[in-house]
Amino acid sequence: MTSSHTRQSTSSEDEDEMAVDDEPEAPSPIAGPSNTTRNGNALAIVFRDASNWLHHIRSLQETDVIILLTPVVIPINPDPTDLSDPFEPLGRSLAKRHSRIRQVPYTQRNGITSTHLGFIKRGHVIILCFALKPGQQIPLEYAEVTFAVSDNKPCIIVVCCTPIDSTQAIPFPTVIQTAGYSPPALEFTAALIFGEQPSPSPTQPKQLSSAPVIDSQAPRLWPVEQWNESRDISSVLELWNQNINGRFTLDQPTLASLLRRPGYAKHYVVRDTKTGVILGICATYLAYVDKEGEKLIASVAMLLVRSTHRQLGIGLSLHSHAVTQLKRTRGVIRLQFGSTFPRILYGPPSDIQFNEEWFRRRGWQLNKEVPGQGQAIYDLVLDFTKWPYSVGSSTSIPSFRPCTQDDMMKVLDLVEQSSAKQAKMGWFDQYTSLMNGPNVKDIILGLEKNEIIATALTYTPSCGSPIPSNLPWAGRIGGDVGGVTCICISPSNTLPAMNGLLDACVKNLQVQGMKRMFIDGVTATEHDYLKQLGFEEWARYRDVWKDT
């Protein structure tokens, strides 16, 4: 990757060479920058939107392509050595809001050629820009050709001048007027196109002006490197507690333990090149999902950016690099936004605001009540004094006992089948981590006619198992809180097996001195049922993932 993603091409087949992919960072899985309202004249205004095309562009799909046609003009930077494309900031600003931008330059002499027509036909939205001198008329033939070939797709005319000549007819439904083509004006224009309320900067004039304003804080591509625990952990902890607080507060040993997964994790940072301070981090994990070891789930578990360095492209640089690396990993069949094991956050917590739109443009669906697209997932806590079953009174049909090494192959078969049906990838890896070790007894089994029909993992803060190091929140709640996780039940025995299995888990944890039980990652249906059994909600997340 280079620092500039806007490239010229003479072939209409060279779409990928036109990709613009640079935008402000995603500050974290839970926090996003807000924009303020700007009243009165601004650096750009919507002159007309008769066909309501701007509303259409704001609901584009991830795979839809925006074609940006820009004129080749003299750079506004007075430096004679600057040969950059002055419209490159518009491409980057649009890419803040949508992932597939194809910028195709044109010259005033040749206008819209057959090369451009090929791009227009394949695009879903067309943005045609002009850079006019005061008093210069809009070359309507360019706009007419573009509009005709676009076949009634949203076609937005951006006029960079001051002001639009009111005597000239502009027969196009959507027209935006900008104050020249300075980087601030082009950023303001992109924000208008996507329905945002652009934030003014102290250097922006309050009235439309053709005077160029150089923006030294434009988003850019940042160098990404792998993190170094000994050097970076304190800075990452500061980032975490700056962005995440309340129930999810972590201390340094716990955070370090969560991030330290040799062979299963890669974490990436952007740092200040002068001070070495971490400006942003993206933590990623891999976990096996089947006993053959050929399928993996990849997790984007943490994406944090320092609050003083947002909207500079740090988040996008980290996200793009991390996702690219994960997709290149052999066997990855699913990308998760959040992490199951080790659990940093299952997904975006529902009670913490974050920039949803930014992640939607990156292909993460967060607003549907279906698996992987934003359905609610819960963590619950049970006080044993509220458990409706007394010790030894379970009346469920199956019998329950701790697992032995001889049971493990049958247990893994059940886990592989059950977790796949429930879209609960990563559970298989947790069970295999207990094989051939003393903590296999922490697996509770439900049996019917000597067949294993249910299983669950239990753990306590000091049980010596790898499970509590993957699920820190029970221990953070209190030292008397044990946990149960990865519950797998044969479909034909769900209700009676669930009651008895939970009762067996309660007994197992009580014997070890626990007074409460933490259960993680349950769906809305399971949540409603468990609340009837005395469980209380501790946290709610959104379940977000996409198959590769």
Side-chain angles (χ1 to χ4, degrees):
M1 299 176 72
T2 62
S3 60
S4 172
H5 290 263
T6 306
R7 303 168 185 154
Q8 296 186 19
S9 173
T10 58
S11 170
S12 63
E13 299 300 323
D14 195 14
E15 276 195 286
D16 288 341
E17 287 300 300
M18 295 290 175
V20 177
D21 193 14
D22 201 359
E23 73 174 274
E25 76 287 352
S28 72
I30 50 77
S34 61
N35 291 325
T36 58
T37 303
R38 183 186 181 110
N39 295 321
N41 292 331
L43 290 175
I45 60 172
V46 178
F47 187 80
R48 178 189 301 123
D49 188 24
S51 297
N52 202 25
W53 274 340
L54 292 178
H55 176 76
H56 178 86
I57 197 175
R58 295 158 194 165
S59 59
L60 287 174
Q61 299 298 313
E62 178 194 9
T63 55
D64 291 344
V65 177
I66 296 177
I67 303 299
L68 174 62
L69 304 175
T70 59
V72 176
V73 293
I74 299 174
I76 59 178
N77 191 334
D79 183 355
T81 64
D82 183 4
L83 301 178
S84 63
D85 178 2
F87 278 90
E88 185 176 319
L90 179 58
R92 291 199 305 263
S93 296
L94 291 169
K96 299 173 187 177
R97 285 99 183 162
H98 188 70
S99 61
R100 293 181 65 81
I101 307 297
R102 302 292 181 262
Q103 181 177 348
V104 190
Y106 69 89
T107 63
Q108 299 286 357
R109 178 178 179 179
N110 296 323
I112 303 301
T113 67
S114 58
T115 297
H116 303 97
L117 299 183
F119 281 100
I120 293 170
K121 290 178 180 179
R122 293 200 300 274
H124 297 82
V125 171
I126 315 302
I127 300 176
L128 174 62
C129 299
F130 299 110
L132 306 181
K133 298 177 181 179
Q136 183 180 357
Q137 296 291 298
I138 298 173
L140 293 181
E141 64 273 18
Y142 297 175
E144 288 168 350
V145 170
T146 301
F147 186 69
V149 176
S150 68
D151 193 24
N152 206 36
K153 300 169 186 172
C155 187
I156 300 165
I157 309 298
V158 175
V159 182
C160 300
C161 65
T162 305
I164 290 178
D165 185 351
S166 59
T167 64
Q168 182 183 14
I170 308 178
F172 301 101
T174 302
V175 180
I176 293 177
Q177 175 191 356
T178 79
Y181 49 92
S182 67
L186 297 178
E187 159 63 24
F188 209 97
T189 300
L192 282 181
I193 289 173
F194 277 88
E196 300 172 5
Q197 297 175 336
S199 298
S201 72
T203 60
Q204 289 178 349
K206 294 184 178 179
Q207 304 258 336
L208 280 167
S209 170
S210 59
V213 180
I214 305 301
D215 182 6
S216 62
Q217 292 296 311
R220 62 184 177 87
L221 186 68
W222 292 73
V224 175
E225 59 186 83
Q226 289 196 37
W227 93 307
N228 180 297
E229 180 181 338
S230 60
R231 179 178 57 180
D232 299 334
I233 185 60
S234 60
S235 190
V236 171
L237 177 66
E238 179 189 357
L239 268 178
W240 176 271
N241 288 329
Q242 180 189 90
N243 288 279
I244 318 281
N245 48 41
R247 75 191 69 197
F248 298 111
T249 301
L250 290 172
D251 56 29
Q252 186 164 310
T254 302
L255 180 59
S257 174
L258 287 168
L259 294 173
R260 192 185 305 126
R261 291 293 188 278
Y264 292 85
K266 283 190 177 180
H267 312 315
Y268 306 99
V269 297
V270 166
R271 66 178 73 254
D272 188 308
T273 54
K274 295 180 180 179
T275 66
V277 173
I278 297 296
L279 303 180
I281 181 171
C282 183
T284 71
Y285 298 100
L286 295 170
Y288 290 105
V289 300
D290 63 347
K291 58 187 175 185
E292 285 79 17
E294 296 180 353
K295 298 178 182 178
L296 295 165
I297 179 173
S299 298
V300 178
M302 177 197 303
L303 183 56
L304 303 173
V305 174
R306 194 170 293 274
S307 60
T308 55
H309 286 74
R310 292 178 183 166
Q311 300 211 13
L312 300 179
I314 295 171
L316 179 68
S317 298
L318 286 165
H319 182 275
S320 297
H321 182 84
V323 170
T324 297
Q325 296 302 312
L326 291 173
K327 285 183 175 180
R328 288 175 178 172
T329 303
R330 182 180 179 275
V332 169
I333 62 172
R334 177 172 293 175
L335 293 176
Q336 180 184 7
F337 176 35
S339 63
T340 307
F341 304 106
R343 172 75 56 77
I344 296 184
L345 295 174
Y346 192 102
S350 61
D351 57 350
I352 304 180
Q353 292 185 348
F354 75 108
N355 193 339
E356 259 188 66
E357 183 63 19
W358 191 95
F359 287 97
R360 187 189 69 81
R361 291 193 298 271
R362 307 277 68 75
W364 303 104
Q365 182 66 52
L366 301 108
N367 60 358
K368 297 182 180 179
E369 279 296 326
V370 294
Q373 299 186 34
Q375 76 168 357
I377 295 291
Y378 302 85
D379 292 341
L380 308 176
V381 175
L382 171 72
D383 186 325
F384 290 159
T385 62
K386 298 180 180 179
W387 182 239
Y389 295 94
S390 61
V391 176
S393 67
S394 175
T395 59
S396 57
I397 296 173
S399 60
F400 300 90
R401 64 169 172 82
C403 180
T404 68
Q405 292 293 348
D406 292 339
D407 298 316
M408 281 304 294
M409 296 311 297
K410 291 183 178 180
V411 168
L412 294 179
D413 286 339
L414 175 62
V415 170
E416 185 176 30
Q417 297 171 14
S418 176
S419 60
K421 290 179 181 178
Q422 298 179 61
K424 298 291 188 179
M425 291 190 177
W427 287 13
F428 184 86
D429 216 17
Q430 297 306 295
Y431 279 89
T432 57
S433 70
L434 301 185
M435 284 190 69
N436 303 316
N439 290 102
V440 69
K441 66 182 185 303
D442 294 333
I443 302 174
I444 303 300
L445 304 181
L447 300 98
E448 190 170 53
K449 297 180 181 179
N450 294 320
E451 290 295 323
I452 299 173
I453 54 100
T455 181
L457 294 173
T458 63
Y459 60 94
T460 64
S462 58
C463 66
S465 160
I467 306 302
S469 67
N470 284 334
L471 289 164
W473 304 118
R476 301 297 295 174
I477 296 171
D480 63 348
V481 181
V484 59
T485 188
C486 299
I487 296 176
C488 297
I489 301 176
S490 175
S492 60
N493 294 272
T494 302
L495 189 58
M498 175 65 84
N499 291 344
L501 187 64
L502 289 175
D503 188 46
C505 291
V506 168
K507 294 174 185 177
N508 184 50
L509 294 174
Q510 281 181 323
V511 169
Q512 299 178 70
M514 299 295 103
K515 297 181 180 179
R516 291 177 287 173
M517 184 167 72
F518 180 85
I519 185 170
D520 64 281
V522 303
T523 64
T525 301
E526 295 165 339
H527 164 271
D528 294 343
Y529 175 70
L530 292 172
K531 288 196 74 173
Q532 297 176 21
L533 298 178
F535 285 85
E536 296 182 357
E537 183 178 320
W538 183 77
R540 182 188 310 176
Y541 315 88
R542 277 180 277 185
D543 180 32
V544 182
W545 47 264
K546 51 186 177 181
D547 290 329
T548 58

